[in-house]
Amino acid sequence: VKILALSGSLRTGSMNTSLLQAARELAPDGVEVELFDGLEAVEPYNADRDTPGAVPPGAAALRARVAAADGLLISSPEYNGTIPGQLKNAVDWLSRPFKESALWSKPVVTMSAVTGAFGGVWGQADLRKSLGIAGARVLEGELAIAKANEKIADGRVAAELEPQIRELLQTLAESIEPSGAEESETAPAGATA
Ligand SMILES: Cc1cc2nc3c(=O)[nH]c(=O)nc-3n(C[C@H](O)[C@H](O)[C@H](O)COP(=O)(O)O)c2cc1C
């Protein structure tokens, strides 16, 4: 089972990226977590460039990596009450062509780590809404870490978070293992656009 991990934060010392690195170490047997490190290079979405042969390289790389993965693990900060613009831009690229996109029916679990007191729940809710509208299979269970700077430092994640990270990975892996589940012809809940 191949999971692609996507951090909504571009900064080097990102707590969200640290969480994903921890997830890579905590993955159950048979589950491989790979970090996508090309988010900053994804060009702004432009429908004129979203035609065969015209998709710019950063966006094409993102699409290819997501398409090749069995599931997605996203961890993102909240910026001003919603998700960072570059992560939303990625969702937009990944959402087209609608119903044939890299996100369509793709199982996804989400996490957020913020310095604020509310765990980034607004941002995470927006992320889940957006992914659902794009046709991803957004799984139950999320992890929202408030005052994350007290639990994640210098790339190290507090041991108390490990069971929750493991549980999310398990949820994701279980959603993938029954083969054919992601080939359902039914539109994922929330897919409207
Ligand atoms: C532009 C900007 C907006 C932010 N808005 C919020 C916010 O709405 N809620 C929150 O809890 N933290 C907010 N923060 C603080 C982030 O939670 C904090 O910077 C966090 O460390 C970002 O995650 P990272 O360590 O993965 O980069 C904001 C930070 C920035 C730079």
Side-chain angles (χ1 to χ4, degrees):
V1 172
K2 219 165 125 185
I3 304 299
L4 190 70
L6 187 60
S7 174
S9 173
L10 304 178
R11 74 187 185 92
T12 310
S14 161
M15 299 186 295
N16 286 278
T17 305
S18 297
L19 268 183
L20 296 173
Q21 281 158 346
R24 189 171 55 191
E25 306 304 318
L26 296 168
D29 281 352
V31 175
E32 192 189 323
V33 177
E34 276 182 8
L35 259 79
F36 180 71
D37 63 2
L39 186 65
E40 192 165 9
V42 176
E43 300 81 358
Y45 184 82
N46 178 344
D48 290 340
R49 301 192 69 187
D50 192 5
T51 53
V55 176
L62 172 71
R63 281 182 170 174
R65 292 288 297 281
V66 173
D70 298 307
L72 263 187
L73 170 64
I74 303 179
S75 189
S76 181
E78 177 179 274
Y79 280 0
N80 298 303
T82 184
I83 58 174
Q86 189 63 349
L87 180 58
K88 178 58 167 55
N89 183 51
V91 172
D92 294 339
W93 277 112
L94 290 170
S95 70
R96 289 294 186 270
F98 192 56
K99 297 195 181 181
E100 288 159 30
S101 73
L103 267 185
W104 186 254
S105 287
K106 187 77 58 180
V108 188
V109 289
T110 59
M111 310 190 279
S112 54
V114 298
T115 50
F118 302 106
V121 290
W122 286 341
Q124 203 169 165
D126 282 359
L127 174 62
R128 296 170 70 84
K129 177 182 72 175
S130 193
L131 291 166
I133 290 172
R137 211 147 47 91
V138 185
L139 303 177
E140 294 291 321
E142 53 194 283
L143 177 55
I145 306 168
K147 299 183 182 166
N149 47 308
E150 294 172 7
K151 297 171 190 145
I152 305 168
D154 302 325
R156 295 171 61 88
V157 171
E160 69 188 83
L161 295 172
E162 290 181 2
Q164 297 168 79
I165 297 171
R166 277 205 185 91
E167 199 179 317
L168 272 187
L169 287 166
Q170 196 63 40
T171 300
L172 189 53
E174 280 167 9
S175 82
I176 292 160
E177 269 157 11
S179 67
E182 55 272 319
E183 280 153 34
S184 156
E185 300 215 342
T186 318
T192 55

